[in-house]
Amino acid sequence: MGVRKIQQNNLGSVVLDRHSDAGNFKLWSSCRRKIIDTMTCGGGGYRHRHTVHSPVKEKKPECRSDEIKKSDSFKDTENIKNKKSDKLSELLRMSELWEEEEEAVKKKVEVLEELKSVVKRLQCGGNDDVLGGAKDVRKLAKEDSDARTTLALLGAIPPLVGMLDSRDLGFHIAALYALLNLGIGNDTNKAAIVKAGVVHKMLDLVKSPNEGVIDPDLSAAIVANFLGLTALDSNKPIIGSSGAILFLVKTFMSSNEGNANSQVVQDCLRALYNLSILPSNVSPMVEIDDFVPFLMATLGDMEVSDRILSILSNVVSTPEGRKALSGVKDSFQILVDVLSWTDSPDCQEKATYIMMVMAHKSYRDRQAMIESGVTSSLLELTLLGSTLAQKRASRILEILRIDKGKQVSETFAVGSMGANVSAPLCGSIDSMSVGSTDATKDSDDRMMSDESKAVKNLVQQSLHSNMRRIVKRANLPQDFVPSEHFRSLTSISTSKSLPF
C-alpha cells in the first residue's frame, strides 16, 4: 500500500511539473472527472447501444413483478372482503328467516287463541255470543282447512248441532252453514257431525205437522248438508235409513214446479246419486210414488238429464229398480230418444248402459226395446257415437240378435210343418214350384216388419256411402262399379248379420 501511494504521488508530481499552467490543470481535472463518471455510472462519451439499453431491459421485469405482486395482493384483499360480505349477507338472511318464523309462530298463536275464544263463546256464551260464534265458525272454516280441523278438535261440533234444538230460524241457518263448512273436504268432521245426531235433528226441522210451508232458506241449507254428508261412504246407510231420501225426493219434485232455485235442484240430485250408490238405498227410493216416472218425464230438461241418468244407472243395478223402470209407460221410447242426442255424448253413454243392463237381465225388456224401434238408433250409434257408446250399442245389438234368431228359427220350424200339412196334393211340378216360390217370398215379406226394412235400408245406405268415400279417397272414376264379391258381402251384411 505504501509503494502505491508513493507511485501515485510521483505521478501527480510529474504531471504537475509537465503541465504547470492553469489551463492544463483544468483540462486534466475535467478529463479525470469524465473518467470517474464513466467508471462509476457507465456514462460519459464512451457509450454503446447495448450498454445504454441493457439496464432498461433488466429493470422492466422487476417492475412487472411488482405489479403482479400488487395485483395479487389486491385480489386477496378483494376475496377476503367478498367472503366477509357473503358471511354478512348470510347472517342477515338467517336473521330475516328467524324473524319470519317468529312472526309465523306469533300468527299461529294468535289464530289459535281466536279459535279458542270462538269455541268458548259457542259453549258458554249467551244467545248473542252463540249466534256470533256460529257465524265466525262459518267464516273461519270456509277456506281454511287447518281451521276446520282445529275447530273440530276444540269441540265446536256438539254446540253447533245443539243449536238446531232452538226455535229461532236464525240459529238454525247459522249452525247449518257452519257445520257445512266444517265438513268440506274433511271426512273426519263429516263422520263426527253425523255421530253427533245432526241427521235426525235436520229432519225434525222440516217436519210440518200443521202442513205449514218450509222456509226455502232452511230447506236449501239442509239439502246442502245432506249433499256434503252423503259423500262419505260410512254415512250412506245411516242417512239412507233415516228418511232423508223422502225429503230429498219431495224437495226435488216440488222444485221443478218453480218453488226452489236451480242450485237446490242440483244439490238434491247429487245427494240422491250419492245415496243410490249403495244398493240398499235403491229400494226405498223406487218405492216412493211417482219418483221413477217423474225422473223419466224430466229427462227432456238438459240441465238435469245427465244427473237423472246417473241415478237411473244405479237404480237398474237392483231387481226392484229394473222393475220400476220397465213399469214406466214409454220408458224405452224415452231412452231411445236420448240415443239421438248427438250433442250430449255422456247422456248417450249412460242411456246405452241402462238399456244394456235391462236387455241382459230381462227377456220382456228386450222385446219392449225392439218394439220401441231401438235397433235403428243403436246401429246409428255404432257408427257415430263415442267409443264407449259404440261398444255398449254393439253389445245390445248382439243380445237382441240372439233372441231374434231364436224366434226366427222357431217360426221357420212351425211354418215348415204347416207347409207339409197344407201342401197341394195335385198339380204339375212346375206349378208347384212356382207356387211354392211365390208363397215363400210372400211369407218372407210378411215376416219382415217395417222396422226391419227401415234398418236394412239404413245399413245399405251406410255401406254405399262408405263405398263412395273409399272411391273418392282412392281417386277412382266416379262410374266405378264394385265387384261381385263386394256386392255379395253387402247383401250378406244386410241380410244375415242383422239382429232380427
Side-chain angles (χ1 to χ4, degrees), residues 315-327:
V315 167
V316 297
S317 63
T318 63
E320 299 86 356
R322 291 191 294 270
K323 183 178 178 181
L325 183 59
S326 61

PDB file of all heavy atoms in Angstrom, residues 315-327:
ATOM      1  N   VAL A 315    -129.956 -47.225 -10.247  1.00  0.00           N
ATOM      2  CA  VAL A 315    -131.246 -47.850  -9.939  1.00  0.00           C
ATOM      3  C   VAL A 315    -131.374 -49.209 -10.631  1.00  0.00           C
ATOM      4  O   VAL A 315    -131.865 -50.177 -10.039  1.00  0.00           O
ATOM      5  CB  VAL A 315    -132.399 -46.907 -10.343  1.00  0.00           C
ATOM      6  CG1 VAL A 315    -133.737 -47.631 -10.344  1.00  0.00           C
ATOM      7  CG2 VAL A 315    -132.455 -45.713  -9.391  1.00  0.00           C
ATOM      8  N   VAL A 316    -130.936 -49.328 -11.884  1.00  0.00           N
ATOM      9  CA  VAL A 316    -131.094 -50.588 -12.627  1.00  0.00           C
ATOM     10  C   VAL A 316    -130.152 -51.676 -12.140  1.00  0.00           C
ATOM     11  O   VAL A 316    -130.204 -52.803 -12.646  1.00  0.00           O
ATOM     12  CB  VAL A 316    -130.875 -50.360 -14.137  1.00  0.00           C
ATOM     13  CG1 VAL A 316    -131.909 -49.417 -14.705  1.00  0.00           C
ATOM     14  CG2 VAL A 316    -129.470 -49.835 -14.409  1.00  0.00           C
ATOM     15  N   SER A 317    -129.309 -51.370 -11.170  1.00  0.00           N
ATOM     16  CA  SER A 317    -128.418 -52.401 -10.629  1.00  0.00           C
ATOM     17  C   SER A 317    -129.149 -53.359  -9.691  1.00  0.00           C
ATOM     18  O   SER A 317    -128.582 -54.382  -9.310  1.00  0.00           O
ATOM     19  CB  SER A 317    -127.253 -51.745  -9.886  1.00  0.00           C
ATOM     20  OG  SER A 317    -127.708 -51.002  -8.769  1.00  0.00           O
ATOM     21  N   THR A 318    -130.368 -53.037  -9.312  1.00  0.00           N
ATOM     22  CA  THR A 318    -131.156 -53.888  -8.419  1.00  0.00           C
ATOM     23  C   THR A 318    -132.409 -54.374  -9.151  1.00  0.00           C
ATOM     24  O   THR A 318    -132.929 -53.684 -10.046  1.00  0.00           O
ATOM     25  CB  THR A 318    -131.568 -53.113  -7.158  1.00  0.00           C
ATOM     26  OG1 THR A 318    -132.407 -52.011  -7.525  1.00  0.00           O
ATOM     27  CG2 THR A 318    -130.335 -52.574  -6.441  1.00  0.00           C
ATOM     28  N   PRO A 319    -132.931 -55.535  -8.789  1.00  0.00           N
ATOM     29  CA  PRO A 319    -134.182 -56.009  -9.425  1.00  0.00           C
ATOM     30  C   PRO A 319    -135.356 -55.068  -9.208  1.00  0.00           C
ATOM     31  O   PRO A 319    -136.180 -54.873 -10.120  1.00  0.00           O
ATOM     32  CB  PRO A 319    -134.413 -57.369  -8.749  1.00  0.00           C
ATOM     33  CG  PRO A 319    -133.078 -57.795  -8.254  1.00  0.00           C
ATOM     34  CD  PRO A 319    -132.361 -56.537  -7.877  1.00  0.00           C
ATOM     35  N   GLU A 320    -135.456 -54.491  -8.025  1.00  0.00           N
ATOM     36  CA  GLU A 320    -136.544 -53.542  -7.762  1.00  0.00           C
ATOM     37  C   GLU A 320    -136.456 -52.328  -8.680  1.00  0.00           C
ATOM     38  O   GLU A 320    -137.483 -51.832  -9.177  1.00  0.00           O
ATOM     39  CB  GLU A 320    -136.523 -53.093  -6.306  1.00  0.00           C
ATOM     40  CG  GLU A 320    -136.714 -54.219  -5.302  1.00  0.00           C
ATOM     41  CD  GLU A 320    -135.403 -54.910  -4.959  1.00  0.00           C
ATOM     42  OE1 GLU A 320    -134.368 -54.554  -5.569  1.00  0.00           O
ATOM     43  OE2 GLU A 320    -135.411 -55.798  -4.093  1.00  0.00           O
ATOM     44  N   GLY A 321    -135.248 -51.862  -8.904  1.00  0.00           N
ATOM     45  CA  GLY A 321    -135.079 -50.704  -9.773  1.00  0.00           C
ATOM     46  C   GLY A 321    -135.411 -51.012 -11.219  1.00  0.00           C
ATOM     47  O   GLY A 321    -136.067 -50.203 -11.901  1.00  0.00           O
ATOM     48  N   ARG A 322    -135.010 -52.186 -11.706  1.00  0.00           N
ATOM     49  CA  ARG A 322    -135.334 -52.551 -13.088  1.00  0.00           C
ATOM     50  C   ARG A 322    -136.838 -52.727 -13.265  1.00  0.00           C
ATOM     51  O   ARG A 322    -137.411 -52.342 -14.295  1.00  0.00           O
ATOM     52  CB  ARG A 322    -134.596 -53.834 -13.469  1.00  0.00           C
ATOM     53  CG  ARG A 322    -133.102 -53.658 -13.580  1.00  0.00           C
ATOM     54  CD  ARG A 322    -132.449 -54.869 -14.224  1.00  0.00           C
ATOM     55  NE  ARG A 322    -132.576 -56.061 -13.386  1.00  0.00           N
ATOM     56  CZ  ARG A 322    -131.700 -56.419 -12.460  1.00  0.00           C
ATOM     57  NH1 ARG A 322    -130.645 -55.665 -12.221  1.00  0.00           N
ATOM     58  NH2 ARG A 322    -131.881 -57.529 -11.747  1.00  0.00           N
ATOM     59  N   LYS A 323    -137.477 -53.304 -12.269  1.00  0.00           N
ATOM     60  CA  LYS A 323    -138.928 -53.485 -12.350  1.00  0.00           C
ATOM     61  C   LYS A 323    -139.645 -52.137 -12.363  1.00  0.00           C
ATOM     62  O   LYS A 323    -140.607 -51.935 -13.125  1.00  0.00           O
ATOM     63  CB  LYS A 323    -139.394 -54.315 -11.156  1.00  0.00           C
ATOM     64  CG  LYS A 323    -140.875 -54.631 -11.161  1.00  0.00           C
ATOM     65  CD  LYS A 323    -141.249 -55.503  -9.967  1.00  0.00           C
ATOM     66  CE  LYS A 323    -142.739 -55.791  -9.947  1.00  0.00           C
ATOM     67  NZ  LYS A 323    -143.135 -56.630  -8.774  1.00  0.00           N
ATOM     68  N   ALA A 324    -139.180 -51.220 -11.539  1.00  0.00           N
ATOM     69  CA  ALA A 324    -139.808 -49.895 -11.508  1.00  0.00           C
ATOM     70  C   ALA A 324    -139.598 -49.147 -12.826  1.00  0.00           C
ATOM     71  O   ALA A 324    -140.504 -48.466 -13.312  1.00  0.00           O
ATOM     72  CB  ALA A 324    -139.244 -49.085 -10.344  1.00  0.00           C
ATOM     73  N   LEU A 325    -138.436 -49.293 -13.421  1.00  0.00           N
ATOM     74  CA  LEU A 325    -138.158 -48.585 -14.672  1.00  0.00           C
ATOM     75  C   LEU A 325    -138.932 -49.181 -15.836  1.00  0.00           C
ATOM     76  O   LEU A 325    -139.481 -48.448 -16.679  1.00  0.00           O
ATOM     77  CB  LEU A 325    -136.659 -48.604 -14.957  1.00  0.00           C
ATOM     78  CG  LEU A 325    -136.191 -47.842 -16.188  1.00  0.00           C
ATOM     79  CD1 LEU A 325    -136.577 -46.370 -16.089  1.00  0.00           C
ATOM     80  CD2 LEU A 325    -134.681 -47.971 -16.357  1.00  0.00           C
ATOM     81  N   SER A 326    -138.990 -50.510 -15.911  1.00  0.00           N
ATOM     82  CA  SER A 326    -139.727 -51.134 -17.009  1.00  0.00           C
ATOM     83  C   SER A 326    -141.228 -50.921 -16.870  1.00  0.00           C
ATOM     84  O   SER A 326    -141.962 -51.030 -17.869  1.00  0.00           O
ATOM     85  CB  SER A 326    -139.421 -52.633 -17.060  1.00  0.00           C
ATOM     86  OG  SER A 326    -139.819 -53.270 -15.848  1.00  0.00           O
ATOM     87  N   GLY A 327    -141.691 -50.642 -15.649  1.00  0.00           N
ATOM     88  CA  GLY A 327    -143.115 -50.384 -15.456  1.00  0.00           C
ATOM     89  C   GLY A 327    -143.553 -48.995 -15.870  1.00  0.00           C
ATOM     90  O   GLY A 327    -144.756 -48.711 -15.915  1.00  0.00           O
TER      91      GLY A 327
END
